[in-house]
Amino acid sequence: FFVSLPVVQPHRILNSFKALVLWLSMAAARRGFGAIRLTFPGIRRCSSQSGARILKSDERDIVFHFAVEEYFMNSAKITAPMMYLWRPDPVVTIGRHQNPWKECKLSDLQADGIQLNRRRSGGGCVWQDPGCSVFTFISPSDQFNIDKNLDIVLGALRRCGITGEKKGRNDMTFEGKKISGSAFRHVPDRKVSLHHGTILVNTAMTELQKYLTPDKRKLQAKGIASVGARVMNLVEQFPDFDHERLCDALEKEFREVHGLTLEGTPLEVIHADAPLTKEPGFQAVFDELNSDDWRLGRTPDFSHKMETRIDGIGVLDVQLNVVHGKIEDAVIFSDALFPEVISEATEVLKGVDYGGKTIRRALVSLQPHFTETGPRALLEALTNWLVAEVED
């Protein structure tokens, strides 16, 4: 006795089918049929056996969390989606290719003992503290889906009575104000992708405005006067909302979406002395992310400095050191969401004859490396703008 159903989303209706299976089993037994098998064409259910994982940590060192992310991105075997939940002590983090001297007030940070760290993902400058919860999704690149990840977060918020909305590619809002931002990273040779983002639960907004120096072109383009005018803490509207409640809702929503059970996929708690922290790869990246060289980057003697903001792309700040007609060194600061494009563009420009045609030729050579819409659009925008600036 077989029942075949059309293609559906089983994570939303599995519980309802338990009753259906029981009823059909009893009916089949009364009529003398054999065992019942329900089939769902085209559906594959994630389970603990497939490698899906849910992790959480109460550690507050943001470098620890970045090192955990890097461990999973570069060393661990990733066969299915995983979610990692955490929050840091007060810290300012900048994107992989941002200029720390332009993005924040370093002297104030140093005077107040606030840490500055650089992510390996793209995106902009962010103030984070224990009132800013963080979610990290890591999965094989062929299963990576930003919209699905954001839907999980929005579903978790709905479980808490909060109706958020997606805005653009990487933000979430509540009643028009930003409550979440995201950044992304891909490791092509391992075919692993990362999406991490923040939820403003009860962060110190005064500190956010004190330490950050946002690009005025971003604010003008959005028609706003300050960072504080466009963001909000969820506790302003939902006083009982907190980090633990959010984590509990995210865990439940992730399980439901991926068809996981509590017994089959238990919550894993990551401590500072967890086995993965003893791995050589973890310690090496932890030390690197803590170094001043990584945090502050290099500042060559620039002979040509160009800046712009391109709608839908982000801010581009290119600084070239030209010696004897050749680009001896290049630095590109950007909050664009595809750091791999910025990294490869920076390298390919070194040693190139200074001029529009040669710069275009160098950047166009990268096109076969970036075939997806987002990275390709960033590369084309960077190429056209930089060539125009140099030829101007």
Side-chain angles (χ1 to χ4, degrees):
F1 184 71
F2 297 87
V3 178
S4 181
L5 299 176
V7 174
V8 292
Q9 294 296 323
H11 61 269
R12 297 290 183 187
I13 58 175
L14 285 176
N15 289 336
S16 300
F17 274 109
K18 291 179 181 178
L20 174 62
V21 171
L22 178 61
W23 180 85
L24 289 173
S25 297
M26 295 172 64
R30 288 196 299 269
R31 289 166 173 76
F33 290 107
I36 294 175
R37 182 172 66 204
L38 290 175
T39 62
F40 302 88
I43 293 296
R44 183 175 62 184
R45 183 173 181 265
C46 292
S47 67
S48 58
Q49 285 72 34
S50 69
R53 301 172 69 179
I54 304 174
L55 305 98
K56 182 184 175 186
S57 178
D58 291 326
E59 300 296 328
R60 295 293 183 87
D61 181 2
I62 200 166
V63 177
F64 174 85
H65 299 300
F66 287 163
V68 169
E69 291 178 343
E70 289 302 306
Y71 170 80
F72 284 109
M73 291 291 286
N74 294 303
S75 301
K77 183 177 182 181
I78 304 298
T79 60
M82 61 171 287
M83 180 177 68
Y84 178 45
L85 306 175
W86 52 279
R87 57 178 172 166
D89 276 333
V91 63
V92 170
T93 64
I94 57 176
R96 182 173 177 176
H97 293 289
Q98 287 193 291
N99 184 340
W101 285 272
K102 290 191 62 178
E103 298 296 333
C104 55
K105 301 171 185 176
L106 284 176
S107 58
D108 288 346
L109 289 175
Q110 293 167 356
D112 295 345
I114 303 297
Q115 192 174 3
L116 171 74
N117 285 103
R118 185 187 298 273
R119 305 184 302 274
R120 283 193 171 175
S121 59
C125 185
V126 181
W127 163 264
Q128 294 175 262
D129 60 20
C132 178
S133 300
V134 185
F135 56 85
T136 300
F137 295 103
I138 298 175
S139 69
S141 296
D142 61 359
Q143 300 179 41
F144 188 67
N145 188 316
I146 295 171
D147 286 333
K148 186 173 184 178
N149 295 340
L150 293 177
D151 285 341
I152 289 173
V153 179
L154 291 172
L157 291 175
R158 284 194 297 272
R159 289 174 180 266
C160 301
I162 302 169
T163 303
E165 297 180 324
K166 281 185 281 191
K167 184 175 179 61
R169 177 178 172 81
N170 62 314
D171 290 347
M172 286 180 280
T173 62
F174 176 79
E175 296 184 348
K177 289 200 171 186
K178 182 175 176 178
I179 58 171
S180 174
S182 294
F184 317 98
R185 182 167 176 249
H186 306 280
V187 180
D189 57 339
R190 296 198 75 232
K191 298 181 180 178
V192 177
S193 298
L194 173 147
H195 169 190
H196 56 191
T198 56
I199 297 288
L200 295 177
V201 177
N202 191 20
T203 197
M205 291 295 185
T206 55
E207 305 300 279
L208 181 151
Q209 298 183 65
K210 176 180 179 181
Y211 296 120
L212 305 192
T213 53
D215 191 295
K216 291 183 174 58
R217 289 164 300 184
K218 276 190 174 182
L219 300 179
Q220 292 167 358
K222 295 177 183 289
I224 50 184
S226 69
V227 176
R230 61 186 177 120
V231 299
M232 70 167 285
N233 279 317
L234 286 170
V235 294
E236 295 174 23
Q237 294 289 330
F238 306 93
D240 295 332
F241 188 62
D242 60 20
H243 175 73
E244 293 304 326
R245 188 176 173 193
L246 172 63
C247 289
D248 182 64
L250 281 167
E251 182 182 346
K252 290 176 179 176
E253 188 71 13
F254 188 85
R255 289 188 198 283
E256 182 173 336
V257 168
H258 290 289
L260 306 172
T261 65
L262 180 60
E263 297 78 12
T265 310
L267 176 67
E268 302 175 51
V269 179
I270 305 296
H271 297 294
D273 59 351
L276 69 85
T277 65
K278 307 300 188 294
E279 297 285 339
F282 176 91
Q283 193 59 52
V285 74
F286 181 85
D287 292 340
E288 178 188 356
L289 295 178
N290 255 328
S291 69
D292 285 344
D293 185 57
W294 170 256
R295 293 188 309 111
L296 300 176
R298 298 169 294 117
T299 309
D301 295 330
F302 311 123
S303 58
H304 195 172
K305 183 176 183 299
M306 299 154 277
E307 297 179 70
T308 191
R309 181 187 182 278
I310 302 175
D311 288 340
I313 298 296
V315 171
L316 296 171
D317 179 351
V318 179
Q319 306 182 37
L320 304 177
N321 186 22
V322 182
V323 177
H324 303 307
K326 289 185 179 291
I327 300 174
E328 183 179 72
D329 205 356
V331 176
I332 304 177
F333 297 109
S334 176
D335 62 358
L337 294 174
F338 303 98
E340 296 81 9
V341 176
I342 302 299
S343 293
E344 293 203 28
T346 300
E347 291 303 315
V348 81
L349 287 173
K350 295 176 182 177
V352 170
D353 289 339
Y354 184 76
K357 292 181 180 179
T358 50
I359 287 176
R360 179 180 295 279
R361 189 182 307 125
L363 293 175
V364 166
S365 71
L366 298 177
Q367 289 185 356
H369 301 183
F370 304 104
T371 57
E372 295 185 0
T373 303
R376 187 64 173 264
L378 170 58
L379 178 60
E380 291 178 352
L382 171 63
T383 301
N384 293 334
W385 167 73
L386 187 56
V387 168
E389 286 290 308
V390 169
E391 291 181 341
D392 186 10

